[in-house]
């Protein structure tokens, strides 16, 4: 694994992907945690983070300058898809999407 957390300086995924979440994740649902005011409703069951449904995308919760120093303004309450997107997969292999967005070649296993 790499030294340090590249997510604290990168933020490329937050400024590239459309971040879609299920209604149950939004704080209008029992147990929901993502603030409704930071989302746009797509349909009855789906929402997306504001800023990720336009071009160029940039999540409304992303603070700082991509590639320099960033943080998620709702880190503890971020959507599940954000929680699951990491530099490495669960099996320890590099996440090719992460390395591609960062312009890096994944290390060999």
């Amino acid at each position: 694994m790499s030294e340090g957390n590249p997510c604290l300086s990168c933020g490329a995924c937050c400024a590239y992907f459309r971040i879609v979440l299920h209604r149950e994740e939004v704080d209008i649902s029992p147990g929901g945690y993502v603030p409704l005011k930071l989302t746009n409703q797509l349909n009855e069951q789906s929402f997306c983070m504001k800023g990720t449904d336009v071009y160029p995308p940039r999540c409304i919760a992303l603070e700082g300058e991509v590639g320099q120093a960033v943080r998620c303004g709702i880190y503890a309450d971020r959507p599940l898809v954000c929680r699951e997107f990491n530099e490495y997969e669960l099996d320890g292999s590099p996440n090719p999407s992460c390395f591609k967005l960062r312009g890096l070649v994944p290390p060999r296993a």
Side-chain angles (χ1 to χ4, degrees):
M1 305 271 174
S2 68
E3 293 181 27
N5 184 347
C7 298
L8 297 177
S9 62
C10 183
C13 56
C14 307
Y16 183 81
F17 293 113
R18 183 179 195 190
I19 302 169
V20 178
L21 50 149
H22 193 271
R23 176 182 199 86
E24 293 174 355
E25 295 180 78
V26 181
D27 65 6
I28 58 171
S29 298
Y33 45 88
V34 177
L36 175 65
K37 67 183 180 182
L38 300 182
T39 67
N40 287 326
Q41 190 165 5
L42 300 174
N43 59 46
E44 190 175 315
Q45 295 299 319
S46 299
F47 291 75
C48 70
M49 293 299 295
K50 285 185 178 178
T52 68
D53 56 347
V54 295
Y55 186 83
R58 182 184 169 104
C59 181
I60 190 170
L62 180 63
E63 299 173 359
E65 187 177 337
V66 174
Q68 299 298 312
V70 295
R71 68 180 289 274
C72 177
I74 60 165
Y75 187 78
D77 296 323
R78 68 195 186 282
L80 181 60
V81 67
C82 300
R83 294 170 189 268
E84 292 179 343
F85 191 87
N86 291 298
E87 179 184 18
Y88 289 90
E89 304 287 358
L90 292 175
D91 65 2
S93 64
N95 176 342
S97 295
C98 175
F99 281 83
K100 181 178 179 182
L101 286 174
R102 290 171 40 213
L104 304 171
V105 176
R108 295 190 188 267

